[in-house]
Amino acid sequence: MEGSSKVIHAIYTDDDVLMAAVKKVRAERYHIEEIYTPFPVHGLDKVMGLAPTRLAITSFLYGLVGLVVSIVMINYMMIEDWPQNIGGKPSFSYLENMPAFVPIMFELTVFFAAHLMVITFYLRSRLWPFKEAENPDIRTTDDHFLIEISAGTNVDEQFDILRNTGAVEVTLIDKAH
């Protein structure tokens, strides 16, 4: 059938059983399309063989942008545009007053890193307002775990392997692209 492919959904009720099942499925060289879980499972990304995320690098760069923006903003507002004598501190240069500006620089660094990371995460995950949910089984939002693997030529063998790993339910799904 053109425009569709077959996948196998295996449902699990325990995250430890899921981890063992993922190890077994990968050892059998089956391709795992996706895993749906109701909460983050620690170590699942390593067991799946996923590459480490580069989001930490982008967070650091976003923090640097926030630091630069804060320095430019403080220098313009407090030194060049409207210098004020606050608490007897002279406002002749940025460097003389920099210790007083450290909290502002810290807060803007964190602000930029946090907000831009949220935007980056949503864009990278292709999440946006009013997006239709892609979850294939509503139970995975509560207390079940689902492994979705590509159906090979020997589906019965795949079913047996998944059942032997502790799957409580295994089904063949015709998934449209």
Side-chain angles (χ1 to χ4, degrees):
M1 184 180 281
E2 191 174 331
S4 66
S5 61
K6 295 197 182 287
V7 293
I8 299 173
H9 286 176
I11 302 275
Y12 297 86
T13 56
D14 183 65
D15 56 337
D16 293 327
V17 176
L18 172 78
M19 290 288 279
V22 171
K23 289 176 186 174
K24 177 71 174 163
V25 168
R26 289 207 11 108
E28 295 289 332
R29 304 260 188 235
Y30 293 124
H31 176 67
I32 298 175
E33 294 284 336
E34 189 65 74
I35 298 180
Y36 299 90
T37 63
F39 54 83
V41 178
H42 180 69
L44 186 58
D45 52 343
K46 287 184 178 137
V47 173
M48 286 180 65
L50 299 176
T53 181
R54 294 183 304 264
L55 286 177
I57 296 168
T58 59
S59 179
F60 177 74
L61 294 175
Y62 293 154
L64 285 179
V65 169
L67 181 63
V68 169
V69 166
S70 69
I71 290 170
V72 170
M73 180 188 76
I74 291 168
N75 186 54
Y76 175 73
M77 288 179 180
M78 300 300 288
I79 306 301
E80 293 176 18
D81 184 40
W82 194 1
Q84 297 180 35
N85 186 343
I86 301 172
K89 295 180 181 139
S91 54
F92 302 127
S93 75
Y94 175 81
L95 289 176
E96 287 178 331
N97 293 304
M98 201 259 305
F101 301 145
V102 167
I104 298 166
M105 293 186 301
F106 171 77
E107 290 298 331
L108 280 177
T109 300
V110 171
F111 179 86
F112 271 69
H115 287 78
L116 292 174
M117 279 304 299
V118 167
I119 293 168
T120 300
F121 174 76
Y122 284 143
L123 291 174
R124 184 71 179 100
S125 301
R126 295 186 189 98
L127 293 173
W128 46 82
F130 313 110
K131 182 173 191 264
E132 194 74 29
E134 295 176 2
N135 199 336
D137 193 318
I138 194 68
R139 295 175 292 177
T140 60
T141 63
D142 188 21
D143 61 351
H144 285 64
F145 306 86
L146 184 141
I147 296 178
E148 181 178 278
I149 65 171
S150 300
T153 54
N154 195 347
V155 175
D156 293 330
E157 180 183 315
Q158 288 177 308
F159 269 53
D160 291 339
I161 289 170
L162 291 168
R163 284 194 190 103
N164 290 336
T165 61
V168 294
E169 182 181 319
V170 181
T171 54
L172 182 66
I173 306 290
D174 193 14
K175 184 177 179 180
H177 285 288

